[in-house]
């Protein structure tokens, strides 16, 4: 009897990549389910088609739904009679959900049939579908294209449900019905049907707490990289120079050095001088000095050419007063007579200028026109930041991370502990280095032994290592039995594991020892600085440096292989109003990190399209490294305590860059908020990697990625992640002391210190990546099944011939495989990416994420700030996911236990039969030539379906009957 349940499929949209580079894509989708087939409309010359068409299929047996699957084929209609497959997807019946739970989802397209070029076609695009099970298809949705009657053979008992009643009444008899094709005619979304009573499709208990209205935007925002053509300083064919990757910007520089013999203006004879620099409506002021006729300023002001509203520059010397400042003198410059300095010319020498011709006084200053290549550019106060309270936070700056070391401390034992008054001892050792504190396990002896090893992160310049022995007197009360400060100058250093560091005894200072004569508490330690490690302050997946800590290893064993140049041009379309709902000013600056070198551009105030045009250079020691560029909003200009806002960041891997080529692209600034992914603007960059020795770079690919100590004495994964957090905190603490400071939130965002936090979105994204990796193997299995089923007799015959040739000439197997891989690489060369990869919102599952998952991802950790009901719902959801994973792990373990049961005599009859089978097989394999055996085995596996039974073979049945340990579990 036929069930009333229907399988609904909504074909939403697709992103396609054609097989060739000629012409567009005329795409349509063909759906297949349980011997039913339906086609969508054809979108002409559109690589990103949008359909929004719904189809419904009959489900004959609900109990057998898990064994069925839905297939969707995407075809390119090349002519009226020919078509080419762009890819397909297969969705198992276990993934079908009721309408209220189903969401639109982009599925990666796989190749229809495996071939030697399937690796190129495996990433050929995506198809967005919404698949659901319902018992109440909406009757208000009309057909987009009336179905064409077509006779279906009488042996087909499953038919596609035709939604409109009018069409159903006009169609041919039941055996002639065809799957219908529908499209909503109203802008309102159809109401979801009620939840079915069947326990198979029942919603989980926490489903009512999660919003279910979510789908795919048919017009998604553009998050792709775009190639730009800026007018760079030296042109694309110019010789590399200091500023040939940025657009030239002209500035008027005024450097005020000092003054001498300024006249007194107050009746008291005192003078509090300062200087005003006026250019049109812009006024810059130096700091004032109290009672000083010979002040020294050494301040530089820079006026952009676009801000030059006058042809005269006024330099006015003023005397600061309580009521009204007094005029001291004036120096004027005609802009037409100011010289122009072109870098790398020598700096313009400052000159003395008379301030007041009647009373005297001179000021030493220099005025010139220059560009951002000028040495004074980084120290200047710019015309757009003259009214800022904290001008130092606006300047560009280059920082260097402190050199980090791993400090290994082994606590061995202690002797002669002094405990007054006498009580049962409960001592432990506490090790403190800065903010890092570790403790040993408590012991119960006056001469305790621990033999525990700890690893800490130390930064140059070092702080003293403090080691103390604490006695736990009560639950929350400890008493110090002794303490020692170990200076780092006395700690041994080693490069590799071949050198043995001797143990040392340290005498501890203890106030209680003064009361006990001849009592000296000693602590036995082994302390050393590990110089052979690279201290990771970034994730190993996108780290910017892998060199060891010790200078000797840096200079002798790993020379530079090239130079990386970065030109930060500008940002377009900055918009923070989508977060606050109102128009705001943006004070943006950029930070780039590669290796130990951090660079910070100047802050452009009150601008939604800031132009930086600053160029920086790094030495490259490893091609498999990543440079990170982040954009932030400066909230420290007016002295606020609010942290700097995160606008977005990008990463560029050095190995993806061609040597000597200039990449000029605009990168979308993406940031994930609790409301979803947002595009905050576009960052325009110019990047060039220049390789100094191509052979040396190729050799670097075959060397170990990390220093030798990481393999000789590897760190545990959990320990390495904890040490990385300590390293990020140390770097942030040191860089926050610079002027201007690089704040902690900036360092953590660039270093991605929270990448280890769990989130449902990342878990699903990694699972999708894993399935994409194994999609080729799955495609190979499906192809081989089709060969064995003889769906295409010609292909199956050809494979039999090839198999016969390879069995007869086994020495050709490896050469043929290597040659096929070579041809795949040659074929993929024309499809190679032309631009560096960027953060993909679809791979990250950020463009179609459930609001509840985002809320969970941005929740505080380890203590949640959400309502207990929400936390309970998340816990139940996690339990449901873990139960599925538990079942999968149990099934895998059961298969392995069945293999062990073959020889374990747990099932005596099965083991006896397996022994007889093995003995007979050994005799047969000894008598029959190996080539003949392999040939017959292959032919048997690929035999024609008429020689196959509909039940599994005997070996499979035998294996399934073997015992597993599942029945032994509680």
């Amino acid at each position: 009897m036929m069930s009333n349940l229907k399988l609904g499929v909504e074909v939403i949209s697709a992103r396609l990549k054609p097989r060739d580079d000629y012409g567009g894509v005329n795409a349509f989708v063909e759906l297949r389910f349980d011997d039913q087939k339906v086609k969508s409309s054809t979108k002409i010359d559109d690589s990103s088609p949008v359909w929004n068409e719904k189809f419904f299929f009959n489900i004959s047996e609900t109990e057998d739904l898990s064994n069925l699957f839905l297939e969707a084929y995407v075809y390119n209609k090349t002519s009226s009679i020919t078509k080419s497959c762009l890819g397909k997807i297969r969705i198992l019946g276990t993934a079908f959900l009721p309408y209220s739970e189903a969401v639109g989802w982009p599925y990666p397209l796989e190749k229809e049939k495996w071939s030697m070029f399937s690796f190129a076609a495996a990433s050929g695009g995506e198809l967005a579908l919404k698949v659901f099970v319902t018992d109440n298809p909406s009757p208000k949705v009309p057909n987009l294209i009336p179905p064409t009657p077509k006779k279906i053979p009488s042996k087909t008992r499953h038919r596609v449900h035709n939604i409109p009643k009018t069409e159903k009444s006009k169609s041919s008899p039941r055996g002639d019905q065809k799957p219908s094709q529908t499209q909503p005619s109203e802008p309102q979304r159809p109401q979801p049907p009620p939840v079915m009573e069947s326990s198979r499709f029942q919603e989980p208990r926490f489903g009512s707490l999660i919003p279910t209205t979510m789908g795919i935007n048919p017009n998604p925002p553009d998050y792709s990289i775009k190639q730009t053509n800026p007018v760079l300083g030296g042109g694309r064919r110019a010789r590399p120079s200091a500023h040939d990757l940025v657009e030239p910007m002209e500035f008027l520089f005024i450097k005020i050095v000092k003054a001498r013999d300024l006249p007194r203006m107050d009746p008291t004879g005192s003078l509090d001088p300062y200087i005003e620099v006026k250019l049109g409506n812009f006024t810059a002021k130096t700091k004032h000095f109290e009672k000083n006729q010979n002040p020294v300023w050494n301040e530089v002001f820079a006026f952009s050419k676009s801000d030059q509203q006058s042809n005269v520059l006024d330099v006015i010397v003023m005397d600061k007063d309580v009521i009204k400042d007094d005029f001291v003198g004036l120096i004027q410059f005609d802009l037409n007579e100011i010289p122009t300095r072109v870098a790398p010319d020598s700096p313009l020498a400052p000159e003395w200028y008379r301030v007041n011709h009647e009373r005297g006084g001179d000021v030493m200053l220099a005025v010139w026109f220059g560009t951002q290549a000028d040495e004074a550019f980084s120290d200047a106060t710019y015309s757009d930041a003259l009214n800022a309270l904290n001008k130092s936070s606006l300047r560009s700056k280059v920082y260097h991370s402190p050199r980090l070391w791993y400090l290994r401390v082994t606590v061995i034992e202690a002797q002669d502990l002094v405990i007054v008054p006498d009580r049962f001892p409960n001592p432990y050792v506490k090790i403190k280095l800065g903010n890092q504190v570790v403790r040993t396990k408590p012991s119960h002896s006056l001469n305790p032994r621990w033999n525990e090893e700890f690893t800490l992160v130390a930064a140059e310049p070092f702080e003293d290592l403090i080691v103390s022995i604490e006695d736990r007197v009560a639950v929350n009360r400890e008493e110090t039995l002794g303490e020692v400060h170990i200076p780092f100058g006395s700690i041994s250093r080693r490069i590799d594991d071949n050198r043995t560091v001797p143990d040392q005894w340290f005498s501890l200072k203890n106030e209680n020892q003064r009361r006990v004569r001849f009592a000296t508490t000693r602590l036995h330690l082994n302390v050393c600085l590990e110089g052979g490690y690279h201290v990771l302050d970034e994730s190993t997946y996108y780290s910017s440096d892998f060199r060891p800590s010790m200078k000797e290893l840096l200079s002798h064993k790993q020379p530079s292989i090239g130079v990386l140049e970065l030109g930060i041009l500008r940002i377009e379309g900055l918009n923070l109003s989508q977060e606050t709902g109102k128009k705001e000013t943006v004070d943006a600056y950029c930070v780039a990190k590669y290796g130990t070198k951090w660079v910070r551009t100047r802050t452009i105030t009150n601008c939604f399209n800031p132009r930086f045009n600053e160029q920086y250079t790094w030495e490259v020691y490893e091609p498999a490294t990543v440079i990170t560029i982040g954009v932030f909003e400066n909230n420290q200009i007016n002295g606020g305590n609010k942290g700097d806002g995160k606008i977005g960041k990008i990463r560029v891997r050095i190995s993806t860059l061609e040597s000597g080529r200039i990449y000029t692209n605009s990168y979308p600034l993406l940031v994930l908020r609790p409301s979803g992914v947002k595009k905050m603007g576009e960052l325009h960059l110019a990047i060039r990697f220049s390789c100094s020795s191509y052979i040396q770079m190729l050799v670097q690919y075959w060397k170990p990625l990390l220093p030798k100590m990481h393999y000789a004495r590897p760190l545990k994964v959990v320990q390495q992640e904890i040490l990385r957090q300590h390293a990020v905190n140390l770097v942030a603490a040191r860089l926050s002391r610079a002027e201007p400071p690089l704040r902690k939130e900036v360092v953590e965002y660039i270093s991605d210190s929270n990448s280890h936090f769990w989130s449902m979105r990342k878990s699903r994204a990694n699972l999708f990546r894993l399935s994409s990796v194994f999609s080729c193997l799955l495609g190979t299995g499906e192809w081989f099944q089709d060969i064995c089923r003889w769906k295409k007799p010609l292909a199956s015959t050809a494979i039999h011939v090839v198999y016969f040739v390879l069995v007869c000439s086994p020495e050709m197997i490896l050469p043929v495989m290597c040659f096929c891989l070579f041809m795949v690489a040659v074929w993929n060369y024309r499809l190679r990416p032309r631009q560096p990869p960027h953060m993909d919102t679809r791979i990250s599952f950020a463009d179609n994420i459930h609001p509840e998952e985002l809320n969970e991802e941005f929740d505080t950790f380890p203590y949640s700030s959400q309502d207990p009901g929400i936390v309970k719902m998340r816990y139940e959801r996690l339990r449901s996911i873990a139960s599925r994973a538990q079942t999968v792990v149990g099934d895998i373990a059961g298969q392995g236990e069945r293999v062990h049961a073959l020889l374990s005599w747990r099932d005596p009859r099965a083991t006896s039969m397996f022994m007889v089978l093995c003995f007979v097989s050994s005799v047969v394999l000894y008598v029959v030539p190996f080539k003949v055996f392999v040939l017959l085995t292959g032919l048997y596996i690929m035999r024609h379906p008429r020689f196959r039974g509909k039940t599994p073979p005997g070996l499979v049945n035998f294996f399934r009957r073997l015992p597993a340990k599942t029945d032994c579990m509680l």
Side-chain angles (χ1 to χ4, degrees):
M1 182 176 180
M2 187 173 293
S3 173
N4 293 328
L5 293 178
K6 309 295 178 184
L7 178 66
V9 182
E10 182 177 356
V11 183
I12 303 174
S13 61
R15 287 189 179 183
L16 306 174
K17 296 179 181 179
R19 294 281 182 86
D20 48 50
D21 298 330
Y22 305 97
V25 182
N26 305 325
F28 68 92
V29 179
E30 182 177 290
L31 303 175
R32 302 176 186 177
F33 176 75
D34 197 15
D35 295 333
Q36 305 168 66
K37 186 186 297 185
V38 69
K39 297 180 182 179
S40 71
S41 59
T42 303
K43 300 297 181 180
I44 305 300
D45 196 13
D46 190 357
S47 60
S48 299
V50 177
W51 288 281
N52 288 325
E53 300 176 11
K54 287 185 180 180
F55 305 92
F56 290 88
F57 297 90
N58 281 342
I59 300 176
S60 58
E61 298 293 339
T62 306
E63 292 75 10
D64 197 41
L65 182 59
S66 60
N67 297 324
L68 301 177
F69 54 86
L70 171 70
E71 289 182 318
Y73 293 82
V74 182
Y75 291 101
N76 179 23
K77 191 172 184 180
T78 55
S79 67
S80 59
I81 57 175
T82 60
K83 62 181 180 180
S84 62
C85 184
L86 300 179
K88 76 165 187 177
I89 62 175
R90 171 178 285 189
I91 304 174
L92 299 179
T94 54
F96 298 159
L97 299 173
Y99 187 88
S100 58
E101 292 185 37
V103 296
W105 199 257
Y107 296 92
L109 290 174
E110 303 174 3
K111 198 173 183 299
E112 181 186 8
K113 294 293 183 290
W114 187 88
S115 69
M116 63 182 297
F117 307 115
S118 65
F119 293 96
S123 59
E126 296 174 340
L127 176 63
L129 296 178
K130 181 178 180 181
V131 184
F132 54 91
V133 178
T134 180
D135 58 354
N136 183 23
S138 174
K140 299 181 179 180
V141 184
N143 280 347
L144 178 66
I145 300 177
T148 304
K150 181 178 180 181
K151 184 70 175 178
I152 299 179
S154 58
K155 65 179 181 178
T156 304
R157 35 183 210 105
H158 308 301
R159 302 166 184 85
V160 182
H161 180 72
N162 199 352
I163 301 172
K165 295 182 179 179
T166 55
E167 294 293 336
K168 184 174 181 178
S169 61
K170 295 179 182 179
S171 61
S172 55
R174 189 167 182 173
D176 299 334
Q177 292 178 8
K178 180 185 176 182
S180 63
Q181 165 181 298
T182 61
Q183 182 178 15
S185 60
E186 300 178 4
Q188 291 85 5
R189 181 174 179 172
Q191 295 297 324
V195 180
M196 291 170 291
E197 297 179 358
S198 174
S199 60
R200 184 178 186 88
F201 306 105
Q202 202 167 13
E203 291 188 4
R205 289 180 293 169
F206 51 83
S208 58
L209 298 177
I210 306 177
T212 58
T213 57
M214 187 178 74
I216 291 184
N217 185 4
N219 297 314
D222 188 8
Y223 296 145
S224 61
I225 300 177
K226 301 181 182 64
Q227 186 173 1
T228 59
N229 296 300
V231 181
L232 303 180
R236 288 185 174 268
R237 297 185 179 180
R239 185 177 60 183
S241 61
H243 287 79
D244 63 336
L245 294 184
V246 293
E247 299 171 331
M249 298 177 63
E250 295 185 18
F251 293 91
L252 173 63
F253 292 97
I254 304 97
K255 182 176 182 180
I256 301 175
V257 184
K258 58 184 177 179
R260 66 183 180 187
D261 301 331
L262 294 178
R264 297 183 176 90
M265 305 304 296
D266 291 345
T268 58
S270 64
L271 179 67
D272 303 330
Y274 70 91
I275 291 181
E276 284 187 356
V277 180
K278 288 188 176 183
L279 181 63
N281 296 329
F282 293 91
T283 302
K285 295 182 180 181
T286 65
K287 61 181 179 180
H288 78 279
F289 292 88
E290 295 184 356
K291 300 179 180 180
N292 192 341
Q293 292 182 271
N294 301 290
V296 178
W297 286 286
N298 281 324
E299 295 187 29
V300 181
F301 300 98
F303 295 88
S304 177
K305 186 176 182 180
S306 60
D307 297 336
Q308 296 173 12
Q309 304 170 353
S310 174
N311 293 326
V312 177
L313 174 68
D314 296 331
V315 180
I316 307 172
V317 182
M318 302 291 293
D319 178 19
K320 191 172 185 61
D321 207 341
V322 177
I323 301 176
K324 183 180 179 181
D325 297 346
D326 298 327
F327 175 81
V328 178
L330 171 66
I331 306 172
Q332 288 187 329
F333 295 91
D334 188 352
L335 298 185
N336 297 323
E337 299 179 359
I338 294 177
T340 300
R341 176 179 177 264
V342 180
D345 293 348
S346 299
L348 195 65
E351 301 179 11
W352 289 103
Y353 293 90
R354 180 55 58 98
V355 174
N356 194 319
H357 294 280
E358 297 179 358
R359 298 190 177 187
D362 299 311
V363 174
M364 177 181 283
L365 55 84
V367 183
W368 72 96
F369 283 105
T371 63
Q372 67 268 37
D374 204 291
E375 292 83 355
F377 178 79
S378 59
D379 298 326
T381 301
Y382 303 96
S383 55
D384 59 349
L386 298 176
N387 298 324
L389 298 179
N390 187 8
K391 294 183 176 60
S392 62
S393 66
L394 305 177
R395 297 190 177 97
S396 58
K397 188 75 174 181
V398 177
Y399 309 85
H400 284 276
S401 300
R403 177 166 294 159
L404 303 177
W405 297 70
Y406 283 144
L407 175 67
R408 198 185 298 272
V409 182
T410 304
V411 182
I412 303 174
E413 61 178 334
Q415 292 182 355
D416 303 327
L417 296 182
V418 178
I419 299 179
V420 178
D422 295 336
R423 63 175 180 271
F424 187 75
N426 194 15
Y428 66 90
V429 177
K430 182 172 73 173
I431 305 172
K432 182 178 181 182
L433 179 62
N435 295 327
Q436 305 172 65
V437 178
V438 294
R439 297 175 175 85
T440 65
K441 297 178 181 179
S443 181
H444 304 288
S445 172
L446 294 177
N447 298 295
R449 292 185 65 86
W450 289 282
N451 286 323
E452 296 185 30
E453 184 180 273
F454 302 95
T455 304
L456 306 174
V457 181
E460 297 181 358
F462 299 113
E463 303 176 4
D464 286 348
L465 177 66
I466 303 175
V467 183
S468 62
I469 299 181
E470 308 285 336
D471 186 22
R472 186 166 297 169
V473 181
V475 177
N476 294 321
R477 180 186 168 194
E478 287 85 14
E479 180 181 328
T480 302
L481 302 181
E483 186 179 270
V484 60
H485 290 244
I486 305 176
F488 271 78
S490 62
I491 297 178
S492 302
R493 307 184 182 189
R494 66 177 179 180
I495 299 177
D496 50 33
D497 199 36
N498 297 328
R499 178 187 172 188
T500 302
V501 178
D503 303 337
Q504 291 180 291
W505 285 95
F506 295 91
S507 298
L508 306 185
K509 297 180 180 179
N510 188 356
E511 296 181 357
N512 295 332
Q513 290 181 4
R514 300 176 183 176
R515 308 175 190 175
V516 183
R517 192 175 182 182
F518 305 116
T520 303
T521 301
R522 298 194 305 163
L523 183 61
H524 195 191
L525 300 176
N526 185 291
V527 187
C528 70
L529 280 169
E530 301 284 3
Y533 287 95
H534 168 71
V535 181
L536 293 168
D537 58 345
E538 302 167 294
S539 174
T540 53
Y541 301 111
Y542 36 82
S543 181
S544 60
D545 192 13
F546 294 103
R547 293 179 297 163
S549 301
M550 189 160 287
K551 291 182 179 179
E552 289 78 2
L553 295 177
L554 293 177
S555 57
H556 296 292
K557 290 191 176 182
Q558 198 166 3
S560 171
I561 63 173
V563 175
L564 175 66
E565 297 167 278
L566 171 67
I568 304 176
L569 304 180
R570 62 186 181 274
I571 303 176
E572 290 185 354
L574 274 180
N575 186 13
L576 304 185
S577 60
Q578 46 187 320
E579 292 297 318
T580 60
K582 60 181 181 179
K583 194 75 172 178
E584 290 185 353
T585 59
V586 183
D587 307 322
Y589 67 94
C590 299
V591 175
K593 179 190 184 298
Y594 183 76
T596 60
K597 181 179 177 181
W598 300 65
V599 298
R600 170 180 177 156
T601 66
R602 64 190 182 100
T603 301
I604 309 296
T605 61
N606 302 330
C607 185
F608 291 96
N609 298 285
R611 298 175 66 234
F612 301 99
N613 287 305
E614 300 182 24
Q615 184 170 340
Y616 300 95
T617 305
W618 289 268
E619 288 188 341
V620 178
Y621 296 89
E622 169 61 49
T625 48
V626 176
I627 181 173
T628 305
I629 305 102
V631 182
F632 302 89
E633 183 185 12
N634 195 336
N635 293 323
Q636 317 304 318
I637 295 178
N638 296 319
N641 295 324
K642 183 181 177 182
D644 290 351
K646 305 167 187 176
I647 299 179
K649 66 181 174 184
I650 67 170
R651 302 188 189 102
V652 179
R653 185 170 290 273
I654 309 303
S655 58
T656 61
L657 304 177
E658 299 178 10
S659 180
R661 176 184 171 184
I662 299 178
Y663 292 84
T664 55
N665 300 289
S666 64
Y667 297 82
L669 294 173
L670 306 177
V671 62
L672 191 62
R673 304 287 190 189
S675 57
V677 64
K678 303 293 182 182
K679 181 179 178 181
M680 312 301 289
E682 292 185 352
L683 176 62
H684 291 246
L685 300 177
I687 304 175
R688 176 175 58 206
F689 170 62
S690 302
C691 180
S692 57
S693 174
Y694 195 75
I695 297 178
Q696 183 179 350
M697 184 178 66
L698 296 181
V699 172
Q700 189 69 26
Y701 277 86
W702 301 97
K703 294 182 179 179
L705 183 64
L706 293 169
K708 182 180 178 181
M709 282 294 289
H710 286 270
Y711 307 99
R713 297 191 65 178
L715 300 173
K716 298 180 180 178
V717 177
V718 177
Q719 181 186 19
Q720 187 170 290
E721 190 61 40
I722 295 174
L723 293 176
R724 187 171 84 91
Q725 297 301 316
H726 292 318
V728 172
N729 292 335
L730 278 174
V731 172
R734 294 295 175 86
L735 297 183
S736 62
R737 303 175 190 173
E739 187 61 35
L742 202 60
R743 296 180 61 86
K744 181 180 180 180
E745 59 270 12
V746 175
V747 177
E748 291 179 346
Y749 186 63
I750 293 293
S751 302
D752 207 0
S753 62
N754 297 331
S755 61
H756 63 289
F757 285 171
W758 181 87
S759 74
M760 182 70 71
R761 175 186 62 85
K762 293 180 181 179
S763 301
R764 292 165 58 198
N766 290 334
L767 184 62
F768 170 75
R769 291 169 55 198
L770 185 64
S771 63
S772 300
V773 169
F774 290 100
S775 61
C776 296
L777 298 179
L778 296 177
T780 304
E782 294 177 3
W783 166 82
F784 187 72
Q785 288 181 3
D786 293 344
I787 293 297
C788 296
R789 293 172 183 172
W790 287 74
K791 286 190 174 181
K792 293 184 177 180
L794 184 60
S796 298
T797 304
I799 292 299
H800 279 70
V801 173
V802 172
Y803 181 75
F804 181 80
V805 172
L806 292 179
V807 170
C808 295
S809 303
E811 66 276 2
M812 294 296 296
I813 295 177
L814 290 180
V816 169
M817 291 178 59
C818 295
F819 182 75
C820 289
L821 294 177
F822 171 78
M823 291 304 299
V824 169
V826 171
W827 179 268
N828 289 346
Y829 180 77
R830 67 188 185 91
L831 304 175
R832 69 190 185 280
R834 300 300 197 273
Q835 304 299 335
H838 183 50
M839 297 180 184
D840 194 329
T841 56
R842 295 209 167 192
I843 293 179
S844 306
F845 277 37
D847 58 347
N848 190 26
I849 184 173
H850 203 287
E852 164 59 25
E853 295 180 8
L854 275 178
N855 191 14
E856 180 182 13
E857 184 170 349
F858 284 92
D859 195 6
T860 55
F861 181 83
Y863 302 106
S864 175
S865 60
Q866 296 294 325
D867 184 81
I870 300 294
V871 178
K872 181 181 178 182
M873 176 271 297
R874 293 173 181 170
Y875 173 68
E876 291 181 354
R877 180 180 60 190
L878 186 61
R879 287 186 61 185
S880 65
I881 296 174
S883 66
R884 300 175 192 171
Q886 171 184 290
T887 303
V888 173
V889 173
D891 292 341
I892 297 175
Q895 301 300 326
E897 290 167 355
R898 289 188 176 93
V899 175
H900 291 170
L902 289 172
L903 298 173
S904 65
W905 290 92
R906 191 176 180 193
D907 186 345
R909 287 173 292 275
T911 304
S912 301
M913 287 187 290
F914 183 71
M915 289 176 57
V916 173
L917 179 63
C918 291
F919 180 77
V920 173
S921 299
S922 63
V923 174
V924 172
L925 292 176
Y926 179 78
V927 175
V928 178
F930 183 73
K931 291 183 179 180
V932 176
F933 172 76
V934 173
L935 180 62
L936 294 178
T937 302
L939 294 177
Y940 175 78
I941 294 175
M942 295 185 292
R943 65 191 185 276
H944 197 274
R946 69 177 59 183
F947 302 110
R948 297 176 181 270
K950 295 186 178 180
T951 59
L955 291 177
V956 175
N957 298 329
F958 174 78
F959 183 78
R960 289 179 178 176
R961 284 183 170 83
L962 292 173
K965 296 182 180 180
T966 308
D967 50 349
C968 300
M969 296 186 62
L970 293 176

